[in-house]
Amino acid sequence: MTLDPVHFDGIARLAGRIDHGADERDRRAFAETVWAEFLDPLRYDGRTVLEPVDEQARRVVDCEGVALRDREFPTEHGLDAGTINPTTFKNGLVIDIAQAAMSATPSDLDLHRSRTTVMTVHSNDETMTVDESWGKFDEGYSRSRAVKIPPLPRFAEGVVHALALYLAESKHARDHAETVSDLLVLDGPLYPRGLLRWADQHPDLADFLLEDPRPTTVLENYVRLVEDFVERDVPLVGFVKNPATRVLTRSLKSKRDVDISVPWSDDSALFTRLLERGEYVDDVDGERWERDTAGLTYTNWFRSRGGVDGPLSAEGDALGVDRHLEREAYEVTFFVVYDPRDDLLYRIEAPYAFTKDPETRDRLTMQLLQDVAIAHGPPTIVGKADELARISNAEKASLRETLEDRFDTAQDRTYDDHRWTEEPF
């Protein structure tokens, strides 16, 4: 059933009750103030949490021009992991399954065939056991492992999901690191952001990070991955399609010595305001903003030491993981690129070990800008990895049915499960 016109108008009329504060011109002006006065460096609780790697600047490149330039890295590899999402069964088990895959350009069929599959299992029944050894399947091309999660009832679904996803991804990356000769692009952040966020969420999760070896092992995989790539002088980056960091906005809101009101929900909203180009033009209702869609706009690289990037900063403890390089080599650096064609912002992350070198930094910048310009969005190599790793809705349903048979139980279904499974996939 759709909304009748009278109902639609009634809902739309509610917008008239909302005074959304400063107008758009004022918000754009405030964004310019933030850019000019607060980012070189940005401090929070007495610490520098954000500062430019090089000269602070905003730049623009023509989409067609950057797409046609010679490639900085002749070959490119992508990495992604997909899951079935946490599933609860009537016997008390909470399970998620992740599979990771790596893509290559030019194509490498043996590499594309390989998978790393991880099943994470949670149960409040302490008599439940799991054989956690690694096994092989598909004629040795792929590896699999099951992992038992200790009792954490309130966070069972989040923990089984994060550990399955990040363990599969990091293990697959390390196993196939030697095949990458020029550049590796991770689909997502450089480090396991979801796992690192646990320390700030709840004491139980913070204790889990400190007491259980599994999260530390996962983070260690990423640290060793960075070390391997630094040793071989092969860069790796993380391409974040939906950046939702709040280091900048949270730091601005904490500045009690400055009379400012921060209107943005996260850092991406602010960077979008800073990078969107255009002008106000006359319209029938006054003026409207007309966006310039001819070029990609982007920032310089920044060093990030706040929020979930803190543990891997030079001052952070990396959850107790030993770091064999200078600590600043692991620090997260990033730049953001805005694609006006779709009004979308992307964040590209890399270890400081690579971006401290001006030539490597520029090559990475141009490569990722070219990828975005050509793909009209995330790099093609990332999409390719996503296709290899993705578990379709039909496959998820089939896997859950198979698990029901193996465990001689049924999925603990809710009304929403019943409602949405009636919809076509």
Side-chain angles (χ1 to χ4, degrees), residues 48-218:
T48 295
V49 295
L50 197 73
E51 65 177 339
V53 173
D54 54 354
E55 178 187 3
Q56 183 177 325
R58 288 172 288 178
R59 302 180 176 96
V60 59
V61 292
D62 177 72
C63 292
E64 184 176 351
V66 74
L68 294 175
R69 62 174 284 138
D70 292 337
R71 295 188 66 76
E72 296 291 341
F73 297 90
T75 65
E76 208 171 14
H77 287 69
L79 181 74
D80 193 19
T83 76
I84 68 168
N85 292 327
T87 304
T88 302
F89 295 90
K90 290 182 178 179
N91 61 2
L93 295 180
V94 182
I95 291 177
D96 202 356
I97 302 170
Q99 73 159 352
M102 184 178 284
S103 58
T105 300
S107 292
D108 181 338
L109 297 183
D110 285 345
L111 178 66
H112 291 177
R113 178 177 176 179
S114 177
R115 299 287 190 278
T116 298
T117 303
V118 173
M119 175 186 289
T120 45
V121 187
H122 175 277
S123 175
N124 290 324
D125 184 350
E126 296 185 3
T127 65
M128 186 268 290
T129 61
V130 173
D131 177 0
E132 298 198 11
S133 59
W134 283 98
K136 293 185 177 182
F137 64 101
D138 188 19
E139 300 179 1
Y141 279 92
S142 302
R143 305 188 69 188
S144 62
R145 182 186 180 189
V147 177
K148 179 182 178 180
I149 306 301
L152 284 166
R154 290 183 58 189
F155 308 102
E157 292 190 352
V159 171
V160 298
H161 176 72
L163 286 185
L165 178 71
Y166 293 126
L167 180 57
E169 179 182 81
S170 61
K171 178 64 175 174
H172 199 74
R174 292 195 66 192
D175 286 347
H176 296 283
E178 291 293 331
T179 67
V180 182
S181 56
D182 292 311
L183 175 66
L184 174 63
V185 184
L186 305 178
D187 186 356
L190 181 64
Y191 297 114
R193 187 175 296 274
L195 184 152
L196 293 170
R197 195 179 291 117
W198 292 350
D200 297 327
Q201 287 187 343
H202 195 277
D204 287 353
L205 285 177
D207 292 342
F208 175 49
L209 285 173
L210 294 173
E211 298 170 3
D212 195 281
R214 293 168 183 83
T216 305
T217 299
V218 171

Side-chain angles (χ1 to χ4, degrees), residues 392-405:
S392 70
N393 286 339
E395 291 165 337
K396 290 176 184 178
S398 182
L399 281 170
R400 290 183 181 117
E401 290 174 2
T402 299
L403 294 176
E404 288 177 330
D405 291 339

Side-chain angles (χ1 to χ4, degrees), residues 328-345:
E328 67 176 14
Y330 303 89
E331 287 190 337
V332 174
T333 64
F334 73 91
F335 80 100
V336 292
V337 54
Y338 174 70
D339 189 343
R341 297 170 295 182
D342 298 313
D343 190 23
L344 292 175
L345 187 92

